[in-house]
């Protein structure tokens, strides 16, 4: 976004704010309906009606429809990859990068300590709806090559090192791996510890 | 299979042999056409015609159609899971189980040393066709809970230990992880070593 498009007090600024408001209304309406009736029993027409907007407007803002509305407030693919790159930047070693990723995940989704009751209900809806579960997993997996390259930069290795592609993929599956557990943070910690020290300790 | 259904010299035995022959013809015809024209440009009707059988017969033997025909000779889900269970059975520790899994994969698919030129071409077709790549990945992933339980039995832990579910999932992704590499065996070895000893060695 350039400074001219969203500046307050300009027409462009008002348009940007109005668009953001419409997005928020659609996301709020979708989540309200999903939590009340379940994901599969809610239509895009119902969501548009609840948000007092047209179905065409819904699809203009959320081309992927219902799935994307569940994840409405979460970062898009590029932002997600960038947040992972930022998390490991400057760590200088795989040991430190894994610790940084542990901290990164602790503030997110299932691993948060301070999620609101509504966030908890939304996370439970995602975990229990196979289509949303796959969607969430793919969102993380789509960051594989960028996380692998970021890890390689910290470790002083080539960006496409298969060994670090594996590590990136494994880290990005932790949210899905932990989703069914009573204690997702415990699984996060256990798996990060194992990725650091291995499953066959030498001592 | 009970001893009466497939015994040689009986009607049932002849029927079983005829069915196996039809399956083999369909798989051979499908692979021949796929390798000649590419996966997407071959129809089930062409495959049935090449195997001199009806499309309904094709679907009776391969309800999943084209995808399943590519993998026609490979074990079904239950056999695949059982072969993994057999590989780790009696190893008695995660260290030994990981070594057993390394050996197991070395004799399979991409990791084989002694694949024929046709097998190589078929593997290349799978790796380069996204739909087949996903199908192959899912076949391995479907064994996750059984491999996790088998590892847990060797390590003396509960069958649904999340730490071993993670290890099982990670091991089962090695074929997909290594698929794009010039040296899949090198990746297999590197990743198994890392799963054993970790990405952040302590010495």
């Amino acid at each position: 976004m350039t400074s001219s498009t969203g500046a307050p007090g300009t027409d462009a600024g008002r348009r940007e704010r109005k668009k953001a408001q419409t997005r928020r209304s659609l996301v709020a309406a979708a989540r309200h309906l999903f939590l009340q009736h379940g994901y599969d029993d809610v239509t895009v027409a119902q969501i548009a009606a609840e948000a007092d907007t047209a179905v065409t407007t819904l699809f203009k803002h959320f081309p992927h429809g219902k799935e994307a509305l569940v994840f409405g407030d979460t970062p898009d693919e590029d932002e997600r990859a960038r947040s992972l790159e930022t998390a490991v930047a400057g760590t200088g070693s795989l040991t430190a990068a894994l610790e940084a990723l542990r901290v990164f995940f602790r503030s997110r989704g299932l691993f948060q300590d301070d999620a609101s009751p509504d966030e908890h209900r939304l996370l439970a809806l995602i975990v229990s709806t196979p289509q949303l579960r796959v969607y969430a997993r793919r969102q993380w997996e789509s960051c594989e090559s960028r996380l692998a390259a970021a890890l390689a930069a910290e470790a002083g290795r080539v960006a496409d090192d298969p060994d670090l592609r594996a590590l990136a993929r494994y880290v990005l599956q932790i949210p899905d791996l932990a989703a069914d557990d009573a204690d997702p943070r415990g699984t996060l910690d256990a798996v990060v510890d194992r990725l650091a020290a291995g499953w066959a300790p030498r001592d």
Side-chain angles (χ1 to χ4, degrees), chain A residues 43-199:
Chain A
T43 65
V44 285
Q46 288 172 302
I47 296 166
E50 170 107 356
D52 197 19
T53 187
V55 171
T56 48
T57 307
L58 181 153
F59 278 108
K60 207 166 63 190
H61 286 278
F62 293 94
H64 295 105
K66 281 169 64 180
E67 282 177 353
L69 278 157
V70 173
F71 298 92
D73 287 341
T74 62
D76 68 18
E77 197 169 308
D78 180 59
E79 282 173 322
R80 187 181 295 265
R82 232 175 323 116
S83 69
L84 286 158
E85 287 166 344
T86 304
V88 303
T91 51
S93 75
L94 293 182
T95 311
L98 277 168
E99 282 313 309
L101 288 165
R102 187 202 304 264
V103 172
F104 172 85
F105 278 116
R106 278 191 178 158
S107 67
R108 301 221 160 212
L110 286 168
F111 304 113
Q112 290 169 77
D113 254 350
D114 55 352
S116 69
D118 269 5
E119 284 174 305
H120 271 298
R121 291 173 64 212
L122 193 69
L123 288 163
L125 178 80
I126 293 167
V127 169
S128 63
T129 308
Q131 197 181 342
L132 297 176
R133 179 80 175 261
V134 168
Y135 188 90
R137 180 176 167 172
R138 290 221 186 99
Q139 285 185 306
W140 286 112
E141 286 180 346
S142 70
C143 303
E144 180 177 307
S145 59
R146 283 180 60 181
L147 178 57
L151 291 170
E154 298 305 316
R157 296 207 247 151
V158 295
D160 60 350
D161 187 322
D163 175 54
L164 296 182
R165 196 174 64 227
L167 179 58
R169 179 180 293 203
Y170 292 166
V171 165
L172 294 171
Q173 295 199 354
I174 296 176
D176 185 72
L177 265 170
D180 292 313
D181 294 340
D183 173 21
R185 265 205 182 200
T187 300
L188 167 65
D189 281 336
V191 176
V192 171
D193 288 346
R194 290 297 200 174
L195 289 173
W199 269 264

